[in-house]
Amino acid sequence: MSQQITIERRKAVEHLLQNRDDMLVVCGLGSSTYDVYAAGDHHANFYLWGAMGGAVMIGLGLAIAEPDRHIMVVTGDGEALMGVGALATVAAQKPNNLSIAVLDNGHFGETGMQKSHTSLGVDLAEIAAGCGFVGCQTIYDYAGIDAFIHKPNDPSGPRLAVVKITTENPPRALPNVDGVYIKTRLRQWLGHQPC
């Protein structure tokens, strides 16, 4: 039985980041970056420009390097599919401070809205569960997002939520595109010297 999809992408991200405190947020290429920025710029946001498929692995690196902080990766289904092997690596490493939210509209939004594999039956939550994630779910309403953000990670490992969203495409909200600036800003916020 198919669920009716009513979650709007930008509102989904607003729900994910409400009461974020000092959580580090890594966002994938394109729409997820626009929406994280629209929810409120923060020194702990790492906007990923031009590196499709890398958000989950950068999130893993931060989770390992900063074990006392919570890390959330916000990405789309297209990027998650491109870097699907990253899910196996994350599951093997078992960082219990890493959450991954996949905004799934079933389309490649950055290249013209071609159908992605998820609209053809591929289930990213099942793939993550098969890799060994301890907390995987598919969310169809805002209450589900709120429950996800208020539930802590299982001590034994990472979690992943596939958030089913509509295909609406709000206007772009563009953060700074200077990669050196974004990296330096995050490093300084974490208390490291610029490099």
Side-chain angles (χ1 to χ4, degrees):
M1 182 177 95
S2 65
Q3 297 268 343
Q4 182 178 6
I5 297 171
T6 60
I7 299 175
E8 295 176 8
R9 192 185 81 211
R10 190 151 288 168
K11 285 185 180 177
V13 173
E14 288 173 7
H15 278 255
L16 285 168
L17 300 181
Q18 63 183 336
N19 305 319
R20 65 178 283 177
D21 296 324
D22 62 350
M23 179 171 67
L24 302 181
V25 178
V26 179
C27 28
L29 178 71
S31 300
S32 55
T33 286
Y34 311 146
D35 297 336
V36 168
Y37 179 71
D41 192 26
H42 194 290
H43 283 63
N45 289 350
F46 191 79
Y47 305 112
L48 198 56
W49 291 108
M52 187 172 181
V56 171
M57 292 308 289
I58 291 172
L60 173 61
L62 284 169
I64 292 170
E66 299 286 335
D68 296 327
R69 296 183 187 273
H70 188 78
I71 317 296
M72 178 175 283
V73 173
V74 181
T75 189
D77 55 308
E79 178 167 2
L81 287 161
M82 185 175 191
V84 75
L87 298 178
T89 302
V90 168
Q93 291 294 315
K94 302 184 183 337
N96 64 6
N97 60 336
L98 177 61
S99 298
I100 301 169
V102 179
L103 306 171
D104 183 4
N105 66 2
H107 293 79
F108 294 102
E110 293 302 306
T111 59
M113 294 300 283
Q114 302 89 353
K115 284 187 175 181
S116 80
H117 302 73
T118 61
S119 66
L120 302 171
V122 171
D123 187 328
L124 286 166
E126 289 293 325
I127 290 172
C131 289
F133 278 62
V134 291
C136 300
Q137 62 183 299
T138 300
I139 295 172
Y140 293 94
D141 56 38
Y142 295 104
I145 297 172
D146 294 340
F148 176 74
I149 63 168
H150 289 106
K151 180 179 177 185
N153 282 39
D154 186 285
S156 62
R159 63 187 178 149
L160 178 140
V162 174
V163 182
K164 292 291 189 179
I165 58 171
T166 67
T167 56
E168 56 87 28
N169 192 17
R172 292 180 176 183
L174 298 173
N176 192 311
V177 297
D178 183 335
V180 174
Y181 166 77
I182 294 167
K183 176 198 72 171
T184 301
R185 181 175 83 155
L186 178 63
R187 284 183 56 83
Q188 288 178 329
W189 189 80
L190 291 170
H192 303 294
Q193 294 296 316
C195 63

